[in-house]
Amino acid sequence: MFTPDNLRETFKRFNQKIQDKKEYLSELDTPIGDGDHGNNMGRGMDAVSAADLSGDLPAIFKTVAMALIGKVGGASGPLYGTAMMEMMKASKESSDPATLLTAAAEGIKKRGGAQQGEKTMLDLWIPAIDVVKNGALTEAKLQELAEKTKDIKATKGRASYVGDRSIGHIDPGAMSSAYLFESMIEAGV
Ligand code: ADP
Ligand code: MG
Ligand code: MG
């Protein structure tokens, strides 16, 4: 279950991972994008870590959403922002991880018009949520899901511009999303 304390801990850990892996995430974005994903997320998570994350679940999600929408930019900013806004809404009624994460994934789909199988962050979110529903999501499983995006040809986002040459590379947004899920596990959500 999400609690205000484990949610704050989740974002603290997510910030740490994003800052640690900023160069790596931008490297992943270089062959199939414009090489800025790590910098985009780093800027957004700087704003999250400077924000006041006090309050209940909806208050925390709203503050995070605003910081990400305001600072990340690119394709990923509005998508992560939408995910957090949908979790904000869902957290008024529930604190169940699968329920909130499913609402977030639906928001990402609607906002970006992508489905599973197009080499985007959804290829991490959707299968990871399936595992959450069945019990035990692990760091190894998340790494495996991120690696699996290598096999997919991108048909949405900037990576779709390189067509077949997108095959063989991990999707950067899927990798950063794996760090978010990993942070939740570590925070004991
Ligand atoms: P930009 O591509 O604008 O430079 P980023 O590099 O920050 O933005 O983010 C790229 C990531 O955004 C991709 O790796 C992918 O996971 C995600 N993404 C791009 N377009 C979509 C979409 N339509 N739906 C879901 N995720 C998307
Ligand atoms: Mg980019
Ligand atoms: Mg960009």
Side-chain angles (χ1 to χ4, degrees):
M1 290 299 128
F2 277 112
T3 66
D5 280 342
N6 70 29
L7 186 57
R8 279 186 282 271
E9 183 65 21
T10 296
F11 289 120
K12 193 176 148 193
R13 288 173 178 269
F14 186 43
N15 176 49
Q16 199 59 57
K17 289 182 200 293
I18 290 293
Q19 306 304 344
D20 289 350
K21 303 285 187 178
K22 196 154 65 177
E23 281 76 32
Y24 173 59
L25 290 171
S26 286
E27 261 167 45
L28 292 179
D29 195 32
T30 299
I32 62 169
D34 56 355
D36 62 357
H37 187 60
N39 292 317
N40 291 345
M41 293 302 295
R43 206 166 49 238
M45 289 311 295
D46 276 340
V48 168
S49 67
D52 173 11
L53 295 187
S54 57
D56 57 7
L57 293 176
I60 300 168
F61 280 121
K62 189 170 184 193
T63 303
V64 172
M66 292 308 183
L68 295 179
I69 291 167
K71 297 287 180 194
V72 176
S76 57
L79 294 168
Y80 267 103
T82 297
M84 295 303 143
M85 286 302 269
E86 292 301 323
M87 290 177 84
M88 184 273 280
K89 288 185 214 159
S91 69
K92 292 177 181 171
E93 310 278 325
S94 170
S95 56
D96 173 53
T99 303
L100 270 58
L101 292 165
T102 300
E106 288 304 318
I108 295 170
K109 273 192 208 166
K110 215 182 270 173
R111 179 79 202 227
Q115 300 291 328
Q116 191 174 2
E118 300 202 84
K119 198 181 186 92
T120 71
M121 58 176 75
L122 286 170
D123 293 301
L124 191 293
W125 280 76
I126 294 171
I129 293 166
D130 284 340
V131 181
V132 169
K133 284 182 187 156
N134 297 315
L137 187 60
T138 61
E139 194 181 323
K141 183 69 195 175
L142 287 164
Q143 186 63 39
E144 182 193 315
L145 292 175
E147 297 272 348
K148 264 197 193 160
T149 65
K150 277 186 184 176
D151 304 339
I152 308 172
K153 175 179 165 178
T155 49
K156 281 282 180 327
R158 244 172 225 288
S160 65
Y161 307 164
V162 303
D164 284 336
R165 279 184 292 122
S166 67
I167 298 169
H169 302 283
I170 293 176
D171 177 65
M175 194 69 240
S176 63
S177 299
Y179 300 146
L180 175 62
F181 280 79
E182 238 178 73
S183 302
M184 286 180 219
I185 298 170
E186 289 173 10
V189 170

